Amino acid sequence: MKNLKLTIVALLLSTVSFAQWDQYNPNPNNDPANASKELLNPTNHSLLLIDHQSQMAFAVESQPIEELRNNLGLLAASASLYEVPTVVTTVAEKSFSGPVFPEIREYFGEDYIDRSTMNSWEDTRVAKRVNSFKKEKLVIAGLWTEVCTLSAALSALEDGYDVYVVVDASGGTSQEAHDMAMTRMIQAGVKPITSLQYLLEIHRDWARSDKYNEVVKISKKYGGAYGLGIDYIKTMSKWMTGKEASEAGKN
């Protein structure tokens, strides 16, 4: 019965979400209603960031920590730009795990839910906060992938959420631990995405001039080779023509 109610609410919210998204769409040739309902848009999801803390990071072996921090910065900046409802959780912040990554503090301040449970979904404050947003989709990233990310993702999935996990903004204690956790989640129905994919999926149309400059700025800062490519073409265009190149065909 609980899952049925959540499903009904999600279907209703889906219609509302796409209607709200139209106001960010100045391109007359773009109809967001034609897009797959599987895709994330700025209004159909919330974000849960779990335990991106110093002590948790020390044990991450699935990718270099500087890469994880960069990807997390990309994710946090993108969600902040589009005002995606976000919950940040910590575990034993003051007594064991330490401060949250600067990449989160920069965009979301220090409004955290500190808990003792490994599964953040078992802390009623976390589930209540996420439920209050009334979004059908939930995007999750956390440390470690095989414990905190997995347990929250499977729990939210069972509660009726359409769950997406940002693979490259999550990290495990080994590559095997990370990969097996992702495999287990995918088998259960969780959808894997990456941080750059997240930004481009919710932006979707370069004609959205209200966010264009900010998206370019985020891409240049965190987008790796893609960001360098943007910086290159815009700089070269400005040197040669006096105007910056634009994906939207406008300055």
Side-chain angles (χ1 to χ4, degrees):
M1 181 60 71
K2 181 179 180 182
N3 286 346
L4 177 60
K5 289 180 180 178
L6 281 170
T7 300
I8 293 172
V9 170
L11 289 172
L12 293 173
L13 287 172
S14 177
T15 302
V16 174
S17 295
F18 273 92
Q20 289 174 335
W21 198 36
D22 288 346
Q23 66 181 303
Y24 304 110
N25 180 30
N27 180 358
N29 298 313
N30 183 354
D31 183 2
N34 287 341
S36 168
K37 302 302 186 291
E38 287 285 320
L39 295 174
L40 297 166
N41 71 53
T43 64
N44 69 359
H45 72 284
S46 57
L47 175 65
L48 177 59
L49 299 176
I50 305 172
D51 304 350
H52 289 95
Q53 298 168 263
S54 306
Q55 177 65 29
M56 304 304 294
F58 295 154
V60 170
E61 295 289 343
S62 57
Q63 68 171 310
I65 200 63
E66 61 270 22
E67 290 182 10
L68 193 150
R69 287 184 61 184
N70 181 80
N71 296 332
L72 180 62
L74 175 53
L75 174 62
S78 304
S80 176
L81 173 63
Y82 274 102
E83 300 180 345
V84 173
T86 300
V87 177
V88 179
T89 79
T90 56
V91 60
E93 179 188 15
K94 298 295 196 318
S95 61
F96 184 77
S97 295
V100 167
F101 288 11
E103 290 76 12
I104 290 179
R105 299 202 303 269
E106 178 179 355
Y107 297 102
F108 297 113
E110 299 185 5
D111 179 21
Y112 317 137
I113 296 178
D114 191 51
R115 36 170 246 290
S116 62
T117 59
M118 294 184 194
N119 179 5
S120 59
W121 208 254
E122 292 181 41
D123 189 304
T124 57
R125 296 169 299 169
V126 175
K128 183 177 180 180
R129 181 81 66 85
V130 173
N131 290 338
S132 73
F133 299 140
K134 295 180 170 56
K135 304 294 182 182
E136 62 173 311
K137 300 180 184 294
L138 177 62
V139 177
I140 298 176
L143 304 181
W144 299 321
T145 316
E146 68 270 28
V147 182
C148 302
T149 304
L150 179 140
S151 57
L154 294 184
S155 299
L157 187 71
E158 194 167 292
D159 274 357
Y161 282 93
D162 195 8
V163 179
Y164 298 67
V165 167
V166 188
V167 181
D168 61 356
S170 303
T173 55
S174 69
Q175 189 65 59
E176 183 179 34
H178 177 77
D179 292 346
M180 291 305 99
M182 288 308 310
T183 298
R184 183 177 172 189
M185 286 187 278
I186 292 168
Q187 287 176 338
V190 171
K191 292 147 188 175
I193 60 173
T194 62
S195 52
L196 183 58
Q197 177 186 354
Y198 175 81
L199 170 60
L200 299 180
E201 190 165 318
I202 62 176
H203 183 58
R204 200 79 63 77
D205 187 344
W206 292 114
R208 289 197 172 85
S209 56
D210 61 329
K211 296 290 192 297
Y212 176 82
N213 288 332
E214 290 85 353
V215 168
V216 168
K217 184 177 179 181
I218 292 170
S219 298
K220 287 164 69 175
K221 183 176 182 180
Y222 297 113
Y226 173 65
L228 286 175
I230 291 175
D231 188 52
Y232 170 82
I233 191 62
K234 286 183 174 294
T235 302
M236 294 297 290
S237 177
K238 194 170 184 178
W239 285 347
M240 291 186 291
T241 68
K243 297 181 180 180
E244 284 191 350
S246 170
E247 293 87 338
K250 300 177 182 178
N251 294 323

